[in-house]
Amino acid sequence: LKDVIDSAIKYHPMVQYRKLEVEVKENNMQSQKNYWLRNMGVQADSRYGTFDNFSSNDNGQSTTLLNTTNKQFNYGVGVYFKFPLVDMLNRKNQVNQAKREMEQARQLSEVQITEIRQMVIKFYNDALLKQRLLQIKSQAMGNGRVNMEMVEKEFRNGQIPVSEYVRISDIVSRSESEYE
């Protein structure tokens, strides 16, 4: 019985679905834990082209203006860290929600396994019951046939009346019908 239950659990599609659902919820929880990392990063850019540069120099007595146009390569690299209040205030709630969803998926998986165990045990007990009933009906049919042979001999010899012969014949035919 244990082997049948284990096999039914292993190959039942709903159990496999529930296990995948648990894995999805675990991954979701991990994503929620790492969600704050989206507020940190490195940014880089580069540009090449024609740039207009304008500068002024004021030394107190005169102002010198300088305007140049040239082709050049500009680049920049930076690190950023943002502090969104919504994410900071809601982070614990999001992680807890992901944990609860994962636990719900696990519990639902256990419910599915328990239902399959109960179903297999029920079918197994039904099969045992039907096997015992078949054995009993087989014995009853065998006994009825032996009884019918004796009644036929007694009927031919005139020892029992027709009504008794018909009654026993009916009992034997019902026994054979129940066996079938």
Side-chain angles (χ1 to χ4, degrees), residues 1-10 117 120-121 124:
L1 180 62
K2 184 179 183 314
D3 292 338
V4 173
I5 290 173
D6 291 342
S7 178
I9 289 171
K10 182 177 180 181
R117 276 194 181 108
V120 168
I121 290 170
Y124 180 77

Side-chain angles (χ1 to χ4, degrees), residues 127-139 179:
L128 289 178
L129 176 65
K130 288 178 181 177
Q131 186 179 19
R132 285 191 296 252
L133 288 174
L134 181 64
Q135 186 178 13
I136 291 168
K137 289 178 181 181
S138 174
Q139 262 183 340
Y179 177 78

Side-chain angles (χ1 to χ4, degrees), residues 105-162:
R106 281 188 181 148
Q107 293 297 324
L108 203 52
S109 177
E110 288 299 318
V111 166
Q112 190 74 47
I113 289 171
T114 302
E115 287 175 358
I116 291 172
R117 276 194 181 108
Q118 290 173 349
M119 184 177 62
V120 168
I121 290 170
K122 178 184 171 198
F123 288 152
Y124 180 77
N125 287 332
D126 280 350
L128 289 178
L129 176 65
K130 288 178 181 177
Q131 186 179 19
R132 285 191 296 252
L133 288 174
L134 181 64
Q135 186 178 13
I136 291 168
K137 289 178 181 181
S138 174
Q139 262 183 340
M141 187 181 74
N143 292 340
R145 284 184 180 164
V146 169
N147 192 16
M148 187 64 193
E149 288 175 10
M150 286 177 45
V151 167
E152 282 179 358
K153 287 179 185 177
E154 289 177 357
F155 179 70
R156 281 187 209 136
N157 293 335
Q159 295 174 347
I160 60 168
V162 173

Side-chain angles (χ1 to χ4, degrees), residues 50-77:
T50 304
F51 292 94
D52 294 325
N53 296 315
F54 177 77
S55 66
S56 65
N57 186 7
D58 188 13
N59 62 4
Q61 294 176 346
S62 70
T63 302
T64 308
L65 298 174
L66 182 61
N67 187 14
T68 60
T69 302
N70 61 354
K71 287 190 176 197
Q72 64 187 40
F73 180 73
N74 289 344
Y75 63 91
V77 176

Side-chain angles (χ1 to χ4, degrees), residues 18-28 102 105:
R18 296 293 181 202
K19 286 181 181 179
L20 289 174
E21 188 176 26
V22 168
E23 289 176 17
V24 166
K25 297 297 183 178
E26 286 173 349
N27 291 339
N28 184 32
M102 184 184 65

